[in-house]
Amino acid sequence: MKLKVYADRMSQPSRAVIIFCKVNGIDYEEIRVDISKGQHLTPEFAEINPMKQLPAIVDGRFKLFESHAILIFLACAFPGVADHWYPADVFKRSKIHSVLDWHHSNLRRGPVTYVLNTTLAPLRGLPLNPQAAAEAKKHLSSSLSKIESIWLKGNERFLLGGNQPSIADLSLVCDIMQLEVLDEKDRTRLLGPHKKVQQWIENTRNATQPHFDEVHKILMKVKEKLQNERSKGANDGGGSSTKKLSLSRM
Amino acid sequence: MKLKVYADRMSQPSRAVIIFCKVNGIDYEEIRVDISKGQHLTPEFAEINPMKQLPAIVDGRFKLFESHAILIFLACAFPGVADHWYPADVFKRSKIHSVLDWHHSNLRRGPVTYVLNTTLAPLRGLPLNPQAAAEAKKHLSSSLSKIESIWLKGNERFLLGGNQPSIADLSLVCDIMQLEVLDEKDRTRLLGPHKKVQQWIENTRNATQPHFDEVHKILMKVKEKLQNERSKGANDGGGSSTKKLSLSRM
């Protein structure tokens, strides 16, 4: 039976897992679980992942949640995955674990929370939370600075050196990509000072094309719609009308 | 050259790494980095771990930070570590990664923050933060409930079944142990409803004795001093005098 990937491409760790499968030719079935409709909160989905979060996979009788754990499992259990994604060498592998662990308590607390609380919340019927957005912005700026000064300080192409990405590059870059839906000025203000991060995002994108762009298509669609709404709002004399959009229709 | 472990036993992930080394007979040198004196923030320590956090290790020319990554490295790179700590089987190993990843965004945000903001902050010259404590309490209660209902639901001795602990048991239990320094009534209120969690803590403790108790000794010393201060405060007509204590003197 084919590997099942439960995902919503609006969720950044879902995208990382899907891109990984596509780039590595893993035969899988993608099952969309629409977060904006609360489909991840149903009792049916709790049978797949009792934590009610995305992504999750089912491989035969084996179920697994948490995207980093899934990426590692796929790299180890499926033949044909190139070594650079998750090297067999214990030292290189440990460095990947270290970046991924750091990601949880740092970068991960930035882009998603910031984007939700400045932009996407109304589309999910939630209120915006400026305090949470401010906190998230701090996490984001501090995390991007650390990525630049620690892992990319010698102009490395990828976080752990070398000419090919690892699962750590893919996971972190997919998180940062969430910033695409922001107002362009805001996004530039956040990412602008981090030239090395920008180059690294581009390197990771190039190394995983055409799948990277294809899997991010939904995000770009949301970005475009939000931009149109913003211009319309500006022409109408201001006021956001993002409430009219619905993520589940994209 | 001997493995160097940079740690402060008041830090829960530091304790997990030290207990792991002791239980598995790994020859190491423990270098105390006193968090209460800010020794983790010095330029010298930044050479060891640029993130300025504990624990960190140096093994020859190899440096590593993040406790989960360190535990996995030690389990893989040192001979004689029993398989149950970090099984070679890809399915079992993946389940351990899943628990450890979940830990970062859930349980880890509970005990430490709660204890800091209700009890330890004045000892580090910081103000108490009731709002952060309330948030942390929510994370803690929800995380303990999930551990019980998902991983311990069938009265398992350890998180992933079996009769021996894994690095996931050790990491999570060391976090929960931080609650020991709370006022006894408060601790009972938090842990009381979770009988299975209590039994699992005891199982993990028993499986790692005498090292578990030895490495937690400093925490028990702080607990005792705080209790004495509380009784004294009560006898003096109330009022906390924890400010008189200093963690760095313990």
Side-chain angles (χ1 to χ4, degrees):
Chain A
M1 213 157 64
K2 220 186 248 188
L3 170 76
K4 286 182 177 154
V5 177
Y6 294 79
D8 180 336
R9 292 186 182 195
M10 280 301 290
S11 120
Q12 64 290 346
S14 290
R15 290 196 300 272
V17 168
I18 295 169
I19 293 169
F20 186 84
C21 287
K22 286 178 178 275
V23 171
N24 289 291
I26 293 172
D27 192 20
Y28 75 102
E29 178 189 354
E30 185 177 336
I31 297 156
R32 188 180 180 195
V33 181
D34 191 332
I35 292 179
S36 73
K37 285 183 182 163
Q39 289 176 349
H40 59 307
L41 304 173
T42 62
E44 292 74 36
F45 185 65
E47 291 291 314
I48 305 298
N49 177 4
M51 296 300 175
K52 302 179 181 174
Q53 287 177 323
L54 292 174
I57 61 164
V58 176
D59 186 29
R61 286 180 297 117
F62 182 69
K63 295 173 186 174
L64 194 65
F65 55 86
E66 286 289 341
S67 69
H68 294 170
I70 292 171
L71 289 167
I72 293 174
F73 171 76
L74 296 176
C76 295
F78 285 78
V81 175
D83 188 70
H84 63 82
W85 286 108
Y86 185 62
D89 175 83
V90 68
F91 297 97
K92 290 182 185 170
R93 188 170 275 200
S94 295
K95 290 285 186 183
I96 292 181
H97 293 155
S98 181
V99 176
L100 290 174
D101 286 333
W102 175 85
H103 180 29
H104 280 291
S105 312
N106 295 277
L107 180 65
R108 179 142 282 169
R109 298 172 76 176
V112 185
T113 313
Y114 185 74
V115 165
L116 181 71
N117 287 292
T118 55
T119 310
L120 292 186
L123 278 66
R124 293 192 183 157
L126 299 167
L128 294 173
N129 183 337
Q131 200 192 333
E135 272 287 311
K137 196 176 172 180
K138 265 197 284 181
H139 274 295
L140 174 59
S141 295
S142 152
S143 298
L144 294 177
S145 296
K146 281 180 181 152
I147 290 171
E148 284 217 339
S149 64
I150 293 169
W151 289 302
L152 302 176
K153 71 174 168 191
N155 289 314
E156 284 84 355
R157 296 195 65 212
F158 298 103
L159 294 177
L160 305 171
N163 281 318
Q164 297 287 342
S166 77
I167 54 171
D169 297 287
L170 188 56
S171 174
L172 274 65
V173 164
C174 282
D175 253 62
I176 301 173
M177 284 300 290
Q178 208 74 357
L179 301 176
E180 286 289 332
V181 301
L182 292 179
D183 174 81
E184 203 53 30
K185 270 191 200 159
D186 198 16
R187 203 177 77 87
T188 307
R189 202 164 44 227
L190 290 167
L191 275 180
H194 304 287
K195 302 287 177 229
K196 290 181 179 181
V197 165
Q198 290 177 49
Q199 185 56 54
W200 161 62
I201 294 170
E202 203 49 31
N203 294 342
T204 305
R205 179 175 169 254
N206 289 336
T208 54
Q209 289 289 48
H211 312 293
F212 191 92
D213 280 0
E214 193 240 306
V215 176
H216 280 89
K217 212 174 259 174
I218 184 170
L219 203 71
M220 297 307 163
K221 217 167 150 186
V222 173
K223 175 192 178 110
E224 199 187 317
K225 293 221 176 197
L226 284 167
Q227 269 171 347
N228 290 343
E229 288 294 322
R230 280 186 205 108
S231 331
K232 224 177 119 192
N235 293 338
D236 292 350
S240 164
S241 51
T242 48
K243 277 179 196 162
K244 288 179 207 155
L245 290 174
S246 165
L247 285 179
S248 62
R249 266 181 270 137
M250 293 183 192
Chain B
M1 212 158 64
K2 220 185 247 188
L3 170 76
K4 285 183 179 156
V5 177
Y6 294 79
D8 179 336
R9 292 187 183 195
M10 279 303 289
S11 120
Q12 64 291 345
S14 290
R15 291 196 300 271
V17 169
I18 295 169
I19 293 169
F20 186 84
C21 286
K22 286 179 176 275
V23 171
N24 290 291
I26 294 172
D27 192 20
Y28 76 101
E29 178 190 354
E30 185 177 335
I31 297 157
R32 188 180 180 195
V33 181
D34 191 333
I35 293 180
S36 73
K37 285 184 183 162
Q39 290 176 348
H40 58 308
L41 304 173
T42 62
E44 291 74 35
F45 185 64
E47 291 291 316
I48 305 298
N49 177 4
M51 297 300 176
K52 302 179 182 175
Q53 287 178 324
L54 293 174
I57 61 165
V58 176
D59 186 28
R61 285 180 297 118
F62 183 69
K63 296 173 185 174
L64 194 66
F65 55 86
E66 285 290 341
S67 69
H68 294 169
I70 292 171
L71 289 168
I72 292 175
F73 171 76
L74 296 176
C76 295
F78 284 78
V81 175
D83 188 70
H84 62 83
W85 286 109
Y86 185 62
D89 176 83
V90 68
F91 297 98
K92 289 182 185 168
R93 188 170 274 199
S94 296
K95 289 286 186 184
I96 291 180
H97 293 156
S98 181
V99 175
L100 289 175
D101 286 333
W102 174 87
H103 179 29
H104 280 292
S105 312
N106 294 277
L107 180 64
R108 180 141 284 170
R109 298 173 74 176
V112 186
T113 313
Y114 185 75
V115 165
L116 181 70
N117 287 294
T118 56
T119 309
L120 292 187
L123 278 67
R124 292 190 185 160
L126 300 168
L128 295 172
N129 182 336
Q131 200 192 333
E135 273 286 311
K137 195 175 173 181
K138 265 197 284 181
H139 275 295
L140 175 60
S141 295
S142 153
S143 297
L144 294 176
S145 296
K146 281 179 182 152
I147 290 171
E148 284 217 340
S149 65
I150 292 169
W151 289 302
L152 302 175
K153 71 175 169 192
N155 288 314
E156 284 83 356
R157 295 195 65 211
F158 297 103
L159 294 177
L160 305 171
N163 282 318
Q164 297 288 342
S166 76
I167 54 172
D169 297 287
L170 188 56
S171 174
L172 274 65
V173 165
C174 282
D175 253 61
I176 301 174
M177 284 300 290
Q178 208 74 356
L179 301 177
E180 285 290 332
V181 301
L182 293 178
D183 173 83
E184 202 54 30
K185 269 190 200 161
D186 198 16
R187 203 177 77 87
T188 308
R189 200 165 45 229
L190 290 166
L191 275 179
H194 304 287
K195 303 286 178 228
K196 288 180 180 182
V197 166
Q198 290 177 49
Q199 184 58 54
W200 161 62
I201 294 170
E202 203 49 31
N203 294 342
T204 305
R205 178 174 170 255
N206 288 335
T208 54
Q209 288 290 47
H211 312 292
F212 191 92
D213 281 0
E214 193 240 305
V215 176
H216 280 89
K217 213 174 260 174
I218 185 170
L219 202 71
M220 296 308 164
K221 219 166 146 187
V222 174
K223 176 192 177 110
E224 200 187 316
K225 292 222 177 196
L226 284 167
Q227 270 171 345
N228 290 342
E229 289 294 322
R230 280 185 205 108
S231 331
K232 224 176 120 193
N235 291 339
D236 292 349
S240 163
S241 50
T242 48
K243 277 179 200 165
K244 289 178 208 158
L245 289 174
S246 164
L247 284 178
S248 62
R249 267 181 270 136
M250 290 182 192

